[in-house]
Amino acid sequence: MQMKNNVTEFILLGLTQDPVRKKMVFVIFLIFYLGTLVGNLLIITTIKASRALGSPMYFFLFHLSLSDTCFSTCIAPRMIVDALLKKVTISFNECIVQIFSFHFFGCLEIFILVLMAVDRYVAICKPLRYTNIMSHQVCGVLVAVAWVGSCVHSSAQILLTLSLPFCGPNVIDHYLCDLQPLLQLACTDTYVTNLLLVSNSGAICTVSFVMLMLSYAIILHSLRNHSAEGRKKALSTCISHIIVVILFFVPCMFIYTRPATTFPMDKMITVFYTIGTPLLNPLIYTLRNAEVKNAMRMLWSKNLISGDKR
């Protein structure tokens, strides 16, 4: 028999309940979020405005920066505002929306990272067929599939959430709504639901991470046959991608591939991949990529020249 859901809102405890630390959270994460917006929007604008960045790699980087911006926006603004409030509540419907958007853009980022690895594999291991395999039409279809796949994944998360009955406790010891902390509040056995969570989110994280590491291992192994200059350029690009993959996937796997238990470190680990990774990605891709830096300089110079003419 389906138990009635008597909970209409949840209380979020946030990162801390200490008033002084909450002010620190507000300032620090406001700076982090603004940095995330500036960095990712700068990459989006540069790729859109620069003809030199028309290759598939930058097409995928555009969508990665877009997903990073949206992924962070699902979490950070509310977290920043909540740091100013004494008591933080979120309605059941708002919780559902946050879970959907959070998992949608998080999953989209995973799929885009996989597509970027595929692009690098074809570019380095199949250079003569690269333009035919990674055509604009193919890249467009691949990104569209990534968006649809993300929607399917996040919809599954919502169905799992709606299947849980909440009939009493409504305090979430977290700064966001997610299925893992909600499992602790459900007034039913959540063993099957947790298995489904692991087989959904956990499997996506783990399988994608293994595929990515194997693909980059193959790419790095194949670089032995390239010239010193080509090897250096390809190595720089791949190392950037590998750093991003590790920073995002390792925390995700820690959260989503284990039984329904919570640890004190969970909140800080979640902060790392929800706030930290979207902030670091633009820095990693711009600081290690000469083409992006040159395109940004040209765009900046062009804006200065056009501004002087006015």
Side-chain angles (χ1 to χ4, degrees), residues 52-64:
L53 303 179
S55 68
M57 182 176 77
Y58 297 110
F59 175 72
F60 294 135
L61 180 56
F62 171 88
H63 284 276
L64 181 69

Side-chain angles (χ1 to χ4, degrees), residues 45 110 112 118 123 146 238 252 257 266 278:
T45 305
I110 289 173
I112 296 297
V118 171
C238 288
C252 283
T257 57
D266 283 357

Side-chain angles (χ1 to χ4, degrees), residues 144-164:
V145 170
W147 281 77
V148 172
S150 302
C151 187
V152 171
H153 162 72
S154 50
S155 297
Q157 298 296 102
I158 295 303
L159 290 175
L160 289 175
T161 306
L162 293 176
S163 70
L164 295 173

